[in-house]
Amino acid sequence: MSAPTLIPPSADDVRVERTLTLGDRLRAASARNRSRTARVSGPTAAVLKYVSLVVASLVAIVPLVTLLFASFKTKAEFAATGPLDPPKNWLNFSNYSKVLLEGDMIVAFVNTLVILAVALVGTILLGTMTAYAIDRFNFRGRGLVMSGFLVAALVPAVTTQVATFKIINFLGVFNTRWSVILLFLGTDIIAIQIFMQFMRSISRSLDEAAMLDGANRFRIYRSVILPLLRPAIATVVIIKGIAIYNEFYLPFLYMPSGDLGVLSTALFRFKGPQGSEWELIAACTILVIVPTLVAFLALQRHIYSGLTSGATK
């Protein structure tokens, strides 16, 4: 039996082997470079992350701390100390009492709460009904309705104020709370999109089961759909509630009477006669900020969960 003949590798085989070897070397070198970059950028990225968080926190907190310190200072102390110097007497509530008594802040709080409550209830009812009808019913012009909402959202509100003012004046509600309530009552596209996003996660089999039990469409909406929309409702209440609470333009334009002032317009009008008394303006500003800040810190988790739960269910 003869020994097997060894066939020498061809030139093409040698080139392929060298190419593969060169490719392996390049991949290994790239992996080593990535490892070194990760080791170098890991601590640097962590430091930059925490530095940016600290800077952002200071940008948000320092103005609030400055206002808080100024609200407890007397006029002479405010003029003699720096903005970040703490007050000498933390029990000096004279600025707050003067603001509440002379700035009509109590009346402004009442007006704001009335407008806020009525507008939010109306927005929730109209928004959930609109989302239920668009998502559950197939009707002619359904796409046109959604396009109309989108077009209306793209039009700047200031360009329609002349026509809006004429309508409010024609209805006879100018210089009353109902003028602002009607304007806030209109459901915006953001609220409808939040409700519709969450509505898509609710199975249609629940509607069919309720219909087999004899429930009509309104009963399904009231007993099945509305309770399941609570996370979305909480999100809309927080987002639109803060917007209504901070709104200045509409109350200032449609409710010029002093006894119809809300918090934003009361703060603006208080600055007129007390323009040089910054400690009073600081106390007034703190009174306006605190309810919004407390509500946001207490309910902020509902904002993120409500915005994302409909997309992830």
Side-chain angles (χ1 to χ4, degrees):
M1 184 175 181
S2 60
T5 303
L6 297 176
I7 301 175
S10 64
D12 294 337
D13 294 337
V14 172
R15 281 196 297 269
V16 170
E17 184 178 356
R18 289 178 178 175
T19 303
L20 292 176
T21 304
L22 180 60
D24 293 338
R25 291 177 179 176
L26 290 175
R27 284 192 291 270
S30 177
R32 288 194 297 270
N33 290 333
R34 286 196 299 267
S35 178
R36 294 193 192 100
T37 304
R39 288 196 297 269
V40 173
S41 63
T44 305
V47 171
L48 291 176
K49 179 179 69 174
Y50 287 108
V51 168
S52 62
L53 290 175
V54 170
V55 171
S57 300
L58 290 175
V59 171
I61 294 174
V62 169
L64 297 179
V65 172
T66 303
L67 286 174
L68 182 65
F69 287 173
S71 66
F72 287 98
K73 295 179 180 179
T74 61
K75 188 173 183 178
E77 185 182 0
F78 180 83
T81 58
L84 292 178
D85 294 334
K88 297 178 181 178
N89 183 13
W90 284 98
L91 298 179
N92 178 27
F93 294 100
S94 59
N95 294 329
Y96 290 95
S97 61
K98 188 175 181 179
V99 165
L100 291 173
L101 295 177
E102 299 182 9
D104 295 329
M105 295 300 294
I106 297 177
V107 176
F109 268 111
V110 173
N111 291 332
T112 302
L113 291 177
V114 171
I115 294 172
L116 187 65
V118 178
L120 286 180
V121 171
T123 297
I124 292 169
L125 292 177
L126 291 176
T128 52
M129 288 181 180
T130 302
Y132 177 67
I134 293 175
D135 185 73
R136 289 297 198 261
F137 295 95
N138 293 320
F139 54 89
R140 184 178 300 176
R142 181 171 177 267
L144 185 61
V145 172
M146 290 302 301
S147 301
F149 278 116
L150 291 174
V151 170
L154 294 175
V155 176
V158 68
T159 62
T160 61
Q161 286 304 314
V162 175
T164 303
F165 186 87
K166 289 183 178 180
I167 293 173
I168 294 296
N169 193 35
F170 174 77
L171 294 175
V173 293
F174 175 72
N175 207 18
T176 65
R177 293 194 189 104
W178 283 106
S179 61
V180 178
I181 289 175
L182 290 176
L183 295 176
F184 285 139
L185 200 60
T187 306
D188 51 43
I189 189 62
I190 296 177
I192 293 179
Q193 289 293 345
I194 291 174
F195 289 136
M196 288 185 62
Q197 175 180 293
F198 202 91
M199 187 85 67
R200 296 189 185 102
S201 66
I202 301 175
S203 176
R204 293 176 180 265
S205 60
L206 296 176
D207 300 32
E208 297 170 358
M211 292 178 68
L212 291 176
D213 290 337
N216 56 22
R217 287 292 185 178
F218 182 76
R219 180 65 182 274
I220 295 172
Y221 161 78
R222 186 186 64 183
S223 302
V224 178
I225 301 299
L226 199 58
L228 294 176
L229 287 177
R230 287 178 181 173
I233 291 174
T235 303
V236 172
V237 166
I238 296 170
I239 294 176
K240 189 154 188 175
I242 293 177
I244 294 173
Y245 185 88
N246 295 328
E247 179 64 33
F248 170 79
Y249 179 72
L250 294 180
F252 184 76
L253 179 61
Y254 293 97
M255 296 191 307
S257 293
D259 57 345
L260 293 176
V262 295
L263 289 175
S264 56
T265 56
L267 176 61
F268 175 77
R269 290 164 182 161
F270 183 79
K271 183 182 179 301
Q274 310 293 342
S276 60
E277 301 185 35
W278 292 104
E279 67 281 358
L280 296 178
I281 297 175
C284 189
T285 306
I286 290 294
L287 289 177
V288 175
I289 291 175
V290 165
T292 306
L293 184 62
V294 171
F296 182 81
L297 292 177
L299 303 174
Q300 62 176 334
R301 61 187 181 90
H302 293 288
I303 297 178
Y304 310 115
S305 62
L307 286 173
T308 58
S309 59
T312 57
K313 284 192 175 183

